[in-house]
Amino acid sequence: MQEFHPSRIRLLVFELDSLTLNFEQDAWDNFRQFLHVLDDRDFAIVLIAESIQASEWTSFAKISVIKSTGEEAFNNNSSLSGADVFWFSEQASLQTKLSSANANFAGSSGETTQNGGLQYQHLYDTLQIFNPSKITTADLSITLSKLKQDSEQVPLMLGIGGPDECGHSFFVGELFDALEDQELLVSSLDLSKVLGTEFQKHDNSASESSSSLWRSVEIRDWLIDDVLRPYSQRKQVYIENPPEIIQDYEICTFPYFLAPEMILLVWGTTVFLPEFENLIDLRFLLELSEKTAAARMFALDERENFDKSFIETYHQKEGKYYSDYLEKYDVQKQIDYRINFDNFNAFSIKE
C-alpha cells in the first residue's frame, strides 16, 4: 500500500461479496447506517457486488454501484486505483492485486497486514480514521503544538471568525479537543453574544468606528484591557467573578485564568478588527456558501433545495452586513487559515 494519508481520500470502495458474506438483516441495517455517516462526511462511495440493485441505494447522495466482481471492477476502472481511493475487501486475491498496484485498502484478516494493507478489528472502527473534520483539527493541533514547543512561554492567541450562526462553537469544540489531545493547555472566549454585525445594523454611526460592532464599548474595553492585552504581554490573568457588564453573556466560565503557556481561542463573527490587530497571532476564517449560511441562520437542512427566498433574505440582511465587514476591514488579506465549513462533518483547510 502506498503511504496512506486519510486526508487525501475522497472515494471509498466496498467489495460487498466478501464484506457482507454472512450478513443478516440487523447487520445490513448497521452497514447502511455506517454508509450514511460516510455519506454525510462527503465521501464518494462505490459498492461492488455480483448481485446488486442500484435502486436499493438511491437514498444516498454519493453512492454508485458496479455489478461485477471486485477484481473485474478494479481491472476495468482506472478511476478506482488513484491515491485518493481506499478499498475495503476481505478477499485475499483482490488484496494481492491491490497491493501489487500500490493501492490503499483494508480488511480484518491477518493476511491484510501481510499484503501491506490496513487491518481493522471491526469495519465500523474505520469511522475514526475517515473523519475529515477530526483529521483537519488534528493536523492543525500538530502544527500549533510545534509552535508552542518552540516558544512554550510565549502566548498564542487564535482568532476564529465566520458568518452569524455559522457554527463557530462546533469548530472551536473540535479544535479544543484536538489541542488537548496534544497535551496543550487551552482556554477560549466566546464573543458571539457581545461582538457582531447584529449591533452594527442598528447603529447609524456604523461607518465611523468598529465600536459599533460591539454590544458596548465597556465590554470591548474590559476584554482588551483586562484580558487580552495582559495575556499577550505574558502576564497571568485571573478574574474570580464576571464583571456586571458581561454577566448575561456567558463569554467564559469563572473563575477565569490565563497564563502565557496556554493557547487562547477567541471566536465570534467579527473578530478581525483593528483593536485585535496586535493581539491575535493566527487568524482562522470559517467560509460558507450563501446557501449554507442561510440554512444555518434559518435552521434549515442545508442539503435540501429549500425556498430561495431564504437565501435572498440572508443576502439582503445578515449576509450584506457580514460582507460589508469583510470589505471594510480588509479581512481576507489578514487570514492565515481558511476553513471550508459548508459541512460540519467534513470541514477542511482550503488550499
Side-chain angles (χ1 to χ4, degrees):
M1 184 172 70
Q2 59 195 307
E3 188 177 355
F4 173 50
H5 298 281
S7 59
R8 298 177 184 172
I9 302 301
R10 298 291 179 268
L11 173 62
L12 302 177
V13 182
F14 294 87
E15 184 270 305
L16 296 186
D17 287 336
S18 65
L19 289 171
T20 64
L21 185 61
N22 298 312
F23 271 20
E24 295 181 355
Q25 187 58 48
D26 286 349
W28 274 110
D29 291 342
N30 291 336
F31 182 67
R32 293 180 75 91
Q33 290 176 11
F34 167 70
L35 293 183
H36 270 297
V37 173
L38 296 173
D39 194 44
D40 286 341
R41 291 177 181 177
D42 277 348
F43 286 105
I45 298 170
V46 173
L47 304 180
I48 299 171
E50 289 192 272
S51 178
I52 188 170
Q53 298 299 323
S55 59
E56 296 178 0
W57 304 95
T58 54
S59 63
F60 294 85
K62 292 189 173 184
I63 280 188
S64 56
V65 302
I66 298 176
K67 198 167 185 176
S68 166
T69 66
E71 292 186 52
E72 288 173 347
F74 181 72
N75 291 334
N76 297 329
N77 295 272
S78 59
S79 61
L80 301 183
S81 57
D84 62 345
V85 180
F86 197 97
W87 282 72
F88 295 86
S89 176
E90 303 292 356
Q91 190 179 107
S93 60
L94 175 56
Q95 289 186 0
T96 300
K97 188 176 288 288
L98 292 167
S99 180
S100 298
N102 204 28
N104 302 302
F105 67 95
S108 65
S109 69
E111 290 183 4
T112 302
T113 305
Q114 295 172 18
N115 286 327
L118 177 70
Q119 184 181 2
Y120 53 78
Q121 185 173 1
H122 300 291
L123 176 63
Y124 307 141
D125 294 342
T126 59
L127 287 177
Q128 299 299 317
I129 299 171
F130 295 102
N131 187 328
S133 296
K134 289 192 179 297
I135 291 169
T136 297
T137 51
D139 289 346
L140 287 171
S141 71
I142 291 170
T143 300
L144 297 171
S145 177
K146 291 176 180 176
L147 289 176
K148 288 302 288 183
Q149 287 171 4
D150 293 340
S151 306
E152 187 176 346
Q153 294 301 315
V154 176
L156 183 60
M157 191 184 306
L158 313 182
I160 300 165
D164 286 323
E165 305 294 337
C166 74
H168 299 83
S169 59
F170 182 82
F171 177 83
V172 171
E174 292 291 303
L175 183 57
F176 201 106
D177 290 345
L179 291 169
E180 288 196 325
D181 287 343
Q182 294 290 329
E183 299 185 346
L184 296 167
L185 298 173
V186 193
S187 186
S188 67
L189 288 170
D190 174 5
L191 306 188
S192 61
K193 298 295 188 293
V194 298
L195 174 65
T197 56
E198 63 184 291
F199 308 113
Q200 181 184 35
K201 61 189 177 186
H202 299 302
D203 189 334
N204 292 329
S205 66
S207 61
E208 302 299 323
S209 168
S210 64
S211 64
S212 64
L213 292 168
W214 290 89
R215 182 175 287 274
S216 74
V217 173
E218 292 76 18
I219 291 176
R220 179 197 65 184
D221 291 347
W222 174 78
L223 279 164
I224 300 295
D225 297 338
D226 292 7
V227 183
L228 301 183
R229 186 169 291 121
Y231 166 73
S232 71
Q233 295 171 344
R234 306 191 187 189
K235 298 176 182 178
Q236 288 192 357
V237 175
Y238 179 77
I239 303 171
E240 185 169 358
N241 297 302
E244 186 175 348
I245 55 174
I246 66 159
Q247 284 182 349
D248 297 331
Y249 306 121
E250 297 182 0
I251 292 174
C252 56
T253 56
F254 290 88
Y256 187 71
F257 175 75
L258 280 176
E261 58 268 26
M262 300 173 73
I263 294 178
L264 176 60
L265 312 183
V266 180
W267 55 280
T269 304
T270 58
V271 295
F272 306 123
L273 298 175
E275 48 263 55
F276 292 104
E277 185 175 352
N278 297 318
L279 300 173
I280 293 175
D281 300 294
L282 291 173
R283 292 162 172 78
F284 295 75
L285 186 64
L286 309 181
E287 297 187 331
L288 297 77
S289 68
E290 278 201 336
K291 177 186 176 183
T292 302
R296 293 182 189 169
M297 172 70 67
F298 295 109
L300 304 169
D301 186 341
E302 55 214 52
R303 295 167 298 181
E304 297 294 329
N305 292 318
F306 51 82
D307 193 319
K308 291 183 179 180
S309 64
F310 289 102
I311 301 175
E312 186 62 28
T313 299
Y314 172 81
H315 180 72
Q316 293 176 354
K317 295 183 178 180
E318 284 80 3
K320 181 181 184 302
Y321 302 132
Y322 182 68
S323 295
D324 289 347
Y325 147 76
L326 292 178
E327 182 178 355
K328 179 178 180 181
Y329 296 102
D330 210 8
V331 171
Q332 297 291 351
K333 291 185 178 179
Q334 301 181 43
I335 302 306
D336 299 290
Y337 291 95
R338 287 176 168 76
I339 307 298
N340 184 333
F341 205 55
D342 273 340
N343 185 336
F344 283 140
N345 303 305
F347 63 75
S348 59
I349 300 172
K350 285 188 173 182
E351 299 296 332

